[in-house]
Amino acid sequence: MLKVPTTNPSAAPVDPTLSAGENRLAVLDGWRALCILMVLAGHLLPINPILPGGNEASAAGGMAIFFVLSGFLITRFLFDRPEPMPFLIRRILRIVPLAWLAMIILYLAAGDSRSTSDLFGNLFFTANLPPSSLMTAGEHLWSLCVEAQFYLAAALIVALFGKRGLYLLPVAALLVTGLRIIAGETISIVTWHRVDEILAGATVALIYLGAFGPKLASLFSQVNFYVAVILAVLCTYFLDTPLAYARPYAIALMVGVTLWHAPVWARYLLCSRPAAYIAKISYALYVFHVMLDHTWLGSGELLEKYLKRPLLFAATFALAHVSTYHFEQRFINLAKRMTPRAQPVPVPIS
C-alpha cells in the first residue's frame, strides 16, 4: 500500500484508524471492501425484483467508490513522492500481471471469434474507447482501461509540472463533468465521460493533504455523515437523471467525510478485519467474478443459476485469495524492490 505522507497538521485530521503495522488509513480499506461487495451484488444477485434498478445502482455505486479511492491514493502517492517512474512501475506491476493473464485466457477461450487487434486493444487498455473491443466475460475490465489511462496522464502531468501539476486535477474533474452534461452521459465506460470519479477522489486527497489550506479541509469535519450518505445514494440510484452528474462529488464527499469523522459503528465496520481482508483480495475478486459467471457456475435457467450462486461466490473468493497471496504479491514485492525510496543523506556535524 501507499505510505501516508507528512501533512499539515492544521489541515489534515488526526486519524485514529491509521494502521501502524502497514502505515495506511484503515478506513479506506473498509470502503474498498464495500465497493467490491456492491459490484459483486450488482452483477450476481437478483436485486431488481426487490428494488427496481437496484442492480445497476449497486454496480455503479461500487465502481464510483472504487474510482474515488483510486484517485485519492494515486494523488496522495504523487504528492508525497512526485516521481513518475517509480509511480508507474508500482501501478503497472500492481494491475497488469493479473489483467493480462485474464485477458489472454479470455482471448484463447474465444477461439477464432476474436481478432488479434481486439486482444491488443485489451492488453494496452484502450478497449473501452469507441469502438469498444472488450471481450466476452471481460466487459467489466473497461474500468482497468480508465485506470491505466489515468495513471499515464497523472505521471505525465507530474513529469511536466512537478507536484504543482496535481492542482490541475480538480479543474479537470469539472471539465469532464461539463463534457458529460453536454453529451447527456449520466453514466459511461468511455474515459472522458467517466474519469471525473477518479478526479473527484484526487480532489479529496489534495484537500486532505492541506493543499488548499486548513479552512477548506475543515469543511469535511462539518458535514453530517448521514446527509453525505443519503446524497451519495440519491446521485447513484437515479442513474438516468441530472442527479447522476453529481455522482462523482457525492461519493467523494461521503468517503472524504469518514477521513475526518463518522459514527462509531461505521468506523468499526470500515476498520474491521473482515473488511481489511476483502479489501486485500478485492482486485482479484473484481477480475474473476464475471469470468466465472460465464462458466458452468453461472449457467442454467434462472432458478438453477441462482442455486449455483453460493458455489460461484465460494470459487471467486477462493481463486481471489490464491491469486492475491501467491501470484499478485510477487509482483507487488518486485515493484517495491525496484522503487526504493532514497534515504536522506545525513548532514555532518562540524
Side-chain angles (χ1 to χ4, degrees), residues 248-280:
Y249 311 101
I251 295 291
L253 177 66
M254 178 181 67
V255 173
V257 163
T258 58
L259 295 173
W260 275 261
H261 70 94
V264 173
W265 67 265
R267 281 197 174 271
Y268 177 81
L269 291 176
L270 292 172
C271 302
S272 65
R273 288 187 178 182
Y277 171 72
I278 294 172
K280 177 76 173 178

Side-chain angles (χ1 to χ4, degrees), residues 108-239:
L108 294 175
D112 296 334
S113 64
R114 303 299 307 194
S115 68
T116 303
S117 62
D118 287 343
L119 174 62
F120 283 113
N122 283 269
L123 292 178
F124 290 100
F125 301 101
T126 60
N128 72 312
L129 303 179
S132 172
S133 57
L134 295 164
M135 293 183 284
T136 302
E139 297 92 346
H140 61 303
L141 301 182
W142 66 267
S143 63
L144 302 186
C145 298
V146 177
E147 281 279 305
Q149 291 162 32
F150 178 73
Y151 295 162
L152 292 175
L156 180 61
I157 288 172
V158 172
L160 293 175
F161 305 109
K163 180 191 294 188
R164 292 188 178 275
L166 297 173
Y167 288 76
L168 296 172
L169 299 182
V171 178
L174 295 175
L175 289 175
V176 171
T177 302
L179 289 175
R180 290 175 57 216
I181 294 172
I182 292 171
E185 291 283 358
T186 56
I187 190 165
S188 173
I189 68 168
V190 177
T191 304
W192 52 81
H193 288 151
R194 191 61 179 265
V195 76
D196 52 351
E197 292 179 346
I198 298 179
L199 294 167
T203 302
V204 173
L206 292 172
I207 295 172
Y208 180 83
L209 294 164
F212 303 118
K215 290 186 178 180
L216 184 58
S218 66
L219 292 177
F220 276 89
S221 64
Q222 300 173 26
V223 176
N224 182 276
F225 170 78
Y226 297 103
V227 171
V229 170
I230 291 171
L231 182 61
V233 170
L234 291 175
C235 292
T236 301
Y237 183 74
F238 296 102
L239 288 174

